[in-house]
Amino acid sequence: MKLAIIKDGPFLPIKDGASARIYNLCKEYQKNGIDVLFVLIDRGWVKTKDIMRSGLGMVLVVPPEDVYESGALTDYLLKNGYRTIQTNIPELIILKASEWKLFTKIYDSHDVLYEQSEQRHVSARTIAVEKFIDTRACDCASAVFCCCERDKRLYIGLGVSPEKLYVVSNGGRFNKSENISRDLQVVFLGHLFYEPNKDAVQSICTFAKKAQDIHITIIGNYPKNMNKRTPHNVTFL
């Protein structure tokens, strides 16, 4: 299988959860024998040295116009035998729906757009537009990756078919605590009314039980019952 993963925006060095998710998925695909082409849209911040050190394998750096305006990227993928595309850009899935009709399209949804807007109390019109983008991108995709079960339920609530929704969680593996320095101070910064953050903290608390000499501090708003029965080395602020 030959898969093209398309990423727009800052990527290397990794400084955000979205980039870490995409990087880890790419490496897992490669471990399982999938021929991955990483397509990085260059808006002036791509550093060749970071790409060379990434271990991503085949990387194609392209200008935005080759992706959004012309069919140059599509022609390249077809010519080189790529028939599956994965991207976290819902607008791109929608924009290229007709042009990419020969491809299997995976929408890697990092969060449900309208959910965070509702939490920020933005206008009803903005929320309606975001719901349209969410549902339209899912309709155009062959499959949709969700970060958690909550996101999957939200998409089902928008009318997306459950058959095309797959939960692909974020996060790393915490089973190799012997490789982590002792007397380590770890800080998690983020509110826990966002389901992926909540899942991450639950994993951290499970890990903390195995690594008693590592102290973890959780900073951010959280549900009142979240800090109950946590390990002694986990502090909620």
Side-chain angles (χ1 to χ4, degrees):
M1 176 181 175
K2 302 184 75 171
L3 166 69
I5 298 178
I6 302 175
K7 172 72 170 71
D8 197 350
F11 181 58
L12 297 171
I14 293 173
K15 295 182 179 180
D16 60 84
S19 296
R21 173 184 174 84
I22 294 171
Y23 178 85
N24 290 332
L25 277 174
C26 185
K27 299 300 287 185
E28 286 298 317
Y29 286 142
Q30 291 172 335
K31 288 179 183 178
N32 286 278
I34 296 176
D35 183 352
V36 178
L37 170 67
F38 195 88
V39 180
L40 190 55
I41 299 174
D42 183 12
R43 296 185 182 273
W45 46 57
V46 175
K47 297 180 180 179
T48 304
K49 288 183 179 180
D50 291 332
I51 295 175
M52 296 291 289
R53 296 170 182 167
S54 68
L56 285 173
M58 184 69 174
V59 178
L60 179 66
V61 180
V62 296
E65 55 268 24
D66 282 2
V67 180
Y68 292 98
E69 298 174 21
S70 75
L73 176 62
T74 302
D75 292 342
Y76 177 89
L77 296 178
L78 289 171
K79 182 179 178 180
N80 289 276
Y82 291 91
R83 293 296 184 272
T84 303
I85 295 173
Q86 176 179 314
T87 184
N88 66 313
I89 313 166
E91 295 85 355
L92 186 58
I93 290 274
I94 298 169
L95 178 66
K96 295 293 184 176
S98 177
E99 185 177 312
W100 288 354
K101 61 184 179 181
L102 297 178
F103 295 87
T104 297
K105 298 172 289 293
I106 301 172
Y107 172 35
D108 182 27
S109 170
H110 292 182
D111 40 48
V112 181
L113 296 176
Y114 80 89
E115 181 189 21
Q116 293 189 52
S117 294
E118 286 185 336
Q119 293 175 354
R120 297 195 307 268
H121 305 292
V122 303
S123 69
R125 181 177 181 181
T126 297
I127 291 173
V129 170
E130 291 181 336
K131 284 184 176 181
F132 171 79
I133 293 173
D134 271 327
T135 52
R136 183 61 180 151
C138 290
D139 288 343
C140 292
S142 311
V144 180
F145 289 172
C146 308
C147 289
C148 59
E149 289 290 344
R150 176 180 172 80
D151 285 4
K152 180 179 179 179
R153 292 194 297 271
L154 289 172
Y155 276 131
I156 291 173
L158 289 175
V160 179
S161 171
E163 284 73 24
K164 66 165 56 178
L165 297 170
Y166 300 86
V167 176
V168 181
S169 301
N170 290 328
R173 297 184 177 88
F174 297 104
N175 59 340
K176 295 185 178 180
S177 58
E178 68 276 6
N179 295 328
I180 298 178
S181 301
R182 299 306 177 183
D183 301 319
L184 186 67
Q185 297 287 329
V186 178
V187 175
F188 180 93
L189 179 62
H191 74 82
L192 303 185
F193 294 93
Y194 178 49
E195 197 71 13
N197 286 0
K198 184 178 178 181
D199 290 345
V201 168
Q202 289 173 338
S203 296
I204 288 170
C205 289
T206 300
F207 169 69
K209 295 177 182 178
K210 303 176 183 178
Q212 297 290 316
D213 48 357
I214 294 177
H215 188 269
I216 301 169
T217 303
I218 312 296
I219 302 175
N221 295 329
Y222 56 88
K224 291 182 178 180
N225 63 346
M226 191 73 186
N227 63 344
K228 294 181 179 179
R229 288 182 285 183
T230 56
H232 70 88
N233 53 333
V234 176
T235 301
F236 283 78
L237 296 182

